[in-house]
Amino acid sequence: MPADHFDQLYQQKLISADEAIKTLARDTKLITFGCYCGTPPRLTQAFCEAAAAGYFSSTPDVYLLRSRKEIVDQFSNVDVLKQIKLLCPFLGGSFRQLADPDLIIPHYLPEHFSLYAQGVFSRHGKPNVHLFQVSPMDEHGYFSFGVDGSMSIPLAFEAGQIIVEVNQNMPRTFGSGLVHISQVSALIEHNSDLMVLPKKPTSPEDHKIGEFVAELVPDHACIQLGIGGVPNEVGKRLKTKSDLGIHTEMLGDTLFELIQAGNVSNRYKQLNVGHTVFNIALFSNPDYYAYLDNNPTMACHPAHYVNNPHIIAQNDRMVSVNSFVEIDLFGQVASESINWRQISGSGGQLDFVRGAFRSKEGIAVLAAHSTAKNGSISKIVPRLQNIVTTPRNDVSYVATEYGCTNLFGMSTSERAHALIELTAPQFRDELREEAKNLTIY
């Protein structure tokens, strides 16, 4: 089909953001949005304005995955929240600070990242509409999902309508995130800067943990790193390694810089050889996004593929590094809540812990500072009084600034002894007494 036909379709479907929202039925039941850089800022604004004005005759379920603060803040408007039912798999500061006694905000969905879309379909059915941000259309009539595979890919292809916001700054990536102009119900054009993360300074504890973890990583390893001071320090120390591969939920600064430094070849992966595989890219340096544009080595896939433990395990020497909020002497890990209060989401931690553990010569590391609040609170506690993110039977390597140990194969008593050695010295005696009371020391 000639390219000018695709251009004609494009022009026929090009409308304003307000007009695009008005194409939604007033009794729409389920609306989903793209995640992080995939959340369309202009369409979101138009949607929230329409909702606040009472456009919808019913109360639609609205799934907001995660995004920049200025977008999330639009959903924090009480006038909007009275008209919709907001459901989220992650909670950020904007939502946690809401305190309207007449509203239950938001409805948290405790699913692992790999199963989130499946959970939406099984509980609520297919979306009536999916709204997300895409790269410009190519000569074949295709838009790229860019740096948001996550749930956007499965939600979009099951949705009754697809409405896209075309942004010149969204890079075109390879993988399974492509949608054709013929599949799009409506589109708008709006150029905006992509979301960036603030870059936080690293601490002496980050340096020490980074050293412990980096020593575990061999040449030819396949890497998954989270975001934060510890992963950044691990990444810096991997610049002595060769022929690394990347299969990760989040492609961030640290992994990108390893690619730029020549440490990543993806040659020794068993799946997607030659390709960096991710489901979300999110950087603190906006210039990094340009490197991804039209780069055939960059493969963006949905979370049900990238985070699938069976897929992860097929790459040999898989190394997964994630953080925790609290761990108890039995090895149970909390990573998404404090004192039973949800502060984030389950994410892909357990997916990668299980996948890396089952990989040939693979390891899964959970790493964090030993204390919080300027050393006044220990993150290693006698018994977890919190929501479990990773069960004790799945936990192997644990690292703090005081060392790194592998809990796999240890008895309950041996675990308690090992974890106390990873604790800040001022808390060790107290933990020993508590462990004796629990008859595990």
Side-chain angles (χ1 to χ4, degrees):
M1 191 171 290
D4 58 356
H5 174 73
F6 302 139
D7 291 334
Q8 290 174 13
L9 277 178
Y10 185 100
Q11 292 303 321
Q12 289 169 11
K13 297 180 179 186
L14 178 61
I15 54 179
S16 71
D18 294 334
E19 290 170 330
I21 298 303
K22 295 299 171 61
T23 67
L24 304 185
R26 290 182 179 272
D27 62 350
T28 295
K29 290 182 172 55
L30 177 59
I31 301 164
T32 57
F33 283 83
C35 182
Y36 287 114
C37 293
T39 313
R42 182 65 190 93
L43 283 171
T44 300
Q45 179 186 358
F47 171 81
C48 289
E49 289 172 352
Y55 174 78
F56 297 103
S57 60
S58 58
T59 304
D61 288 342
V62 176
Y63 286 78
L64 183 65
L65 306 177
R66 206 167 190 178
S67 192
R68 68 178 83 181
K69 183 179 185 300
E70 55 267 34
I71 291 178
V72 173
D73 283 349
Q74 296 182 57
F75 287 94
S76 302
N77 183 330
V78 172
D79 290 334
V80 175
L81 290 168
K82 287 179 178 177
Q83 304 296 327
I84 66 174
K85 180 181 177 182
L86 189 60
L87 303 104
C88 305
F90 290 93
L91 301 185
S94 299
F95 288 139
R96 292 198 302 269
Q97 292 167 14
L98 288 172
D100 190 320
D102 297 324
L103 300 170
I104 301 175
I105 306 166
H107 295 260
Y108 174 69
L109 306 174
E111 302 288 353
H112 296 295
F113 217 53
S114 60
L115 300 175
Y116 180 70
Q118 182 180 328
V120 172
F121 298 144
S122 63
R123 178 67 178 168
H124 295 275
K126 298 178 180 180
N128 296 106
V129 62
H130 186 67
L131 302 99
F132 61 111
Q133 193 163 219
V134 295
S135 70
M137 187 178 75
D138 67 14
E139 66 272 24
H140 304 292
Y142 285 96
F143 302 95
S144 167
F145 285 65
V147 293
D148 174 31
S150 64
M151 272 61 70
S152 267
I153 294 174
L155 290 176
F157 290 126
E158 293 293 337
Q161 278 182 268
I162 292 175
I163 300 178
V164 300
E165 184 167 315
V166 182
N167 185 353
Q168 295 284 339
N169 295 317
M170 178 67 86
R172 174 175 298 280
T173 58
F174 291 75
S176 50
L178 293 173
V179 59
H180 195 262
I181 182 62
S182 61
Q183 299 169 292
V184 172
S185 304
L187 64 94
I188 74 162
E189 293 178 338
H190 179 74
N191 294 332
S192 60
D193 294 333
L194 297 181
M195 179 181 178
V196 293
L197 283 178
K199 196 156 192 173
K200 297 180 180 179
T202 54
S203 66
E205 292 84 358
D206 295 329
H207 291 292
K208 199 66 183 173
I209 298 169
E211 290 175 358
F212 290 135
V213 176
E215 288 177 1
L216 302 172
V217 182
D219 290 339
H220 308 169
C222 187
I223 308 297
Q224 178 263 323
L225 296 178
I227 287 178
V230 170
N232 287 345
E233 289 302 310
V234 173
K236 288 177 184 177
R237 287 160 178 76
L238 296 185
K239 290 182 179 176
T240 61
K241 310 293 181 178
S242 62
D243 287 314
L244 297 174
I246 295 176
H247 183 106
T248 188
E249 176 181 318
M250 182 79 77
L251 181 65
D253 289 1
T254 304
L255 292 175
F256 176 83
E257 289 161 6
L258 284 171
I259 295 170
Q260 290 288 74
N263 301 96
V264 176
S265 69
N266 290 301
R267 288 175 57 197
Y268 292 93
K269 296 168 70 177
Q270 279 58 54
L271 294 179
N272 303 292
V273 177
H275 293 88
T276 290
V277 172
F278 63 96
N279 68 53
I280 294 168
L282 189 58
F283 304 122
S284 66
N285 186 336
D287 294 337
Y288 288 0
Y289 289 110
Y291 178 86
L292 274 60
D293 186 45
N294 225 23
N295 184 332
T297 69
M298 295 294 157
C300 182
H301 290 286
H304 66 251
Y305 176 81
V306 178
N307 286 47
N308 184 330
H310 175 70
I311 297 296
I312 295 166
Q314 291 182 58
N315 282 312
D316 294 348
R317 297 171 296 278
M318 186 74 211
V319 177
S320 167
V321 182
N322 290 289
S323 63
F324 60 86
V325 172
E326 197 173 64
I327 183 171
D328 72 12
L329 295 180
F330 297 93
Q332 300 178 105
V333 171
S335 301
E336 59 192 278
S337 60
I338 297 176
N339 295 328
W340 303 103
R341 187 184 181 195
Q342 200 76 39
I343 61 169
S344 182
S346 301
Q349 180 176 118
L350 186 56
D351 292 327
F352 273 92
V353 164
R354 287 178 170 170
F357 182 79
R358 286 160 178 78
S359 160
K360 182 180 179 181
E361 299 178 29
I363 59 171
V365 184
L366 294 174
H369 296 186
S370 66
T371 64
K373 292 190 175 181
N374 297 317
S376 64
I377 297 174
S378 176
K379 290 188 177 182
I380 299 174
V381 298
R383 289 178 293 185
L384 203 64
Q385 297 295 321
N386 222 328
I387 300 167
V388 174
T389 302
T390 301
R392 62 176 183 164
N393 293 342
D394 290 290
V395 177
S396 51
Y397 284 90
V398 178
T400 73
E401 68 272 27
Y402 293 101
C404 181
T405 191
N406 185 3
L407 301 184
F408 182 68
M410 287 187 180
S411 68
T412 302
S413 177
E414 289 170 331
R415 286 181 171 223
H417 279 79
L419 288 167
I420 289 171
E421 292 303 309
L422 300 183
T423 307
Q426 65 268 31
F427 296 106
R428 291 179 186 175
D429 287 342
E430 179 184 348
L431 280 176
R432 289 188 185 104
E433 288 303 312
E434 293 285 355
K436 289 175 184 176
N437 292 335
L438 293 169
T439 67
I440 58 171
Y441 195 84

